[in-house]
Amino acid sequence: MARSGFRVSIGLVLAVPLCLVQGMVANAAPADIAACDGLAAHPTDPDKPAEVNGVTVIAGSDIPAAVKACKAATAATDAPRRIWMELGRAYEFGGQPTEAANAYRKAAKAGNTTAMAGLGVLLIKGDGVRKNVEEARTLIETAAKAGDVEGMINLAAIYGAGVGVKTDVAMARNWYAKAAAANSSEAMFQLGLMTEDGDGGPKDDVAAKALFEKAAALDHADALERLGAYAEAGRAGEKDPKAAIAYYKRAAALGSEDAAKALERLRCPFGLKDRAGKSVGRICSDGG
């Protein structure tokens, strides 16, 4: 933290009444907590105040301010446990996994389930902390069983990939279903993928499409891309090229690379190949 250019003599510091100093500290903490919440709260954190929306991704330009505000907030003796989790998020997005793990652990020990899920992921990857899959699974499972959405999603992934446990796609599908019921767009999307492929349960294109539609309504880019593919292929309905393009455009605008490639393919459908059969370019229908 940058030091002020002003200096105060020891005599002047001692002359400030203790009650005033305590009042200044008390007045500063709520502002720091509010700033930390505004910049780094997680949307599904059960500890999050109802009036705080939270952010899925902390913007790069907001990371320094988030770290500063959250560090200041944790200095208060009565700082809510979620503040340590939010500090951990700010550190993680800032590329400081060790500091993130330390902050997550403090929040997790205090009972914050979102911090348990966050720390669990770092432990699985061995990112900023010694890899420990067993501890990670315990933390994530504790969070999931407490109703934490991120915990549910991560536990589903653990069972789906067989990380530290026997692969169990039916269990993965079950946890994604629980998270989807809690309005998680990511869980809706993942459950849609399992449903369209018949992993861990019945294969049902219509049900999968309905899940993608619910996730798309929450601006899930990959779900929008899937809807574009369904409309293009006439899967779970009639072919609708215009709808496919509309879905792909929305998905691409939200960052889906697959949707961007699909748009380019539809715009430039005619491929050129050399004598060796190697692709050398495409001809676009608009002459581009």
Side-chain angles (χ1 to χ4, degrees):
M1 182 179 293
R3 294 183 178 274
S4 168
F6 297 94
R7 294 188 180 185
V8 181
S9 69
I10 293 177
L12 286 175
V13 171
L14 293 177
V16 177
L18 180 58
C19 62
L20 178 57
V21 173
Q22 291 175 332
M24 290 167 63
V25 173
N27 288 334
D32 291 328
I33 290 172
C36 181
D37 279 339
L39 293 166
H42 194 286
T44 64
D45 179 16
D47 288 352
K48 177 182 65 64
E51 68 273 13
V52 175
N53 293 325
V55 291
T56 303
V57 176
I58 300 177
S61 58
D62 287 337
I63 292 172
V67 170
K68 181 178 179 180
C70 293
K71 282 183 68 175
T74 59
T77 56
D78 59 346
R81 62 190 183 185
R82 72 177 183 276
I83 296 302
W84 284 102
M85 182 278 296
E86 292 169 9
L87 177 59
R89 294 193 77 217
Y91 276 136
E92 187 172 5
F93 276 98
Q96 296 178 270
T98 300
E99 291 80 357
N102 291 336
Y104 282 148
R105 193 173 291 281
K106 290 182 180 180
K109 285 184 176 180
N112 181 271
T113 54
T114 303
M116 294 177 193
L119 178 58
V121 172
L122 293 180
L123 286 165
I124 287 174
K125 297 189 298 182
D127 194 7
V129 65
R130 184 184 296 274
K131 186 173 182 177
N132 189 327
V133 174
E134 181 60 29
E135 183 186 3
R137 186 194 60 76
T138 299
L139 283 166
I140 291 171
E141 186 170 37
T142 298
K145 290 182 175 180
D148 186 89
V149 174
E150 293 303 305
M152 293 178 191
I153 293 172
N154 289 332
L155 188 58
I158 283 175
Y159 277 109
V163 180
V165 295
K166 183 178 179 180
T167 299
D168 189 335
V169 290
M171 184 68 77
R173 187 164 174 163
N174 178 58
W175 280 109
Y176 278 134
K178 290 182 179 181
N183 208 40
S184 165
S185 62
E186 177 63 17
M188 294 170 190
F189 169 68
Q190 294 294 345
L191 183 58
L193 291 180
M194 298 192 80
T195 302
E196 74 175 5
D197 292 335
D199 292 332
K203 181 177 181 178
D204 188 333
D205 278 353
V206 174
K209 183 180 179 181
L211 285 163
F212 292 142
E213 287 173 339
K214 289 181 179 179
L218 297 173
D219 288 333
H220 193 288
D222 292 331
L224 284 161
E225 185 278 331
R226 284 288 78 209
L227 288 175
Y230 270 50
E232 183 182 357
R235 190 170 179 176
E238 295 183 1
K239 288 186 178 182
D240 191 337
K242 289 184 178 180
I245 291 174
Y247 282 128
Y248 286 144
K249 284 184 176 179
R250 284 180 61 195
L254 289 169
S256 171
E257 293 184 3
D258 287 340
K261 291 178 181 177
L263 280 173
E264 183 66 12
R265 172 173 50 75
L266 291 176
R267 190 178 73 85
C268 306
F270 308 108
L272 293 174
K273 293 185 178 182
D274 61 17
R275 289 188 176 184
K278 181 180 178 181
S279 178
V280 293
R282 306 189 71 83
I283 299 176
C284 301
S285 57
D286 61 0

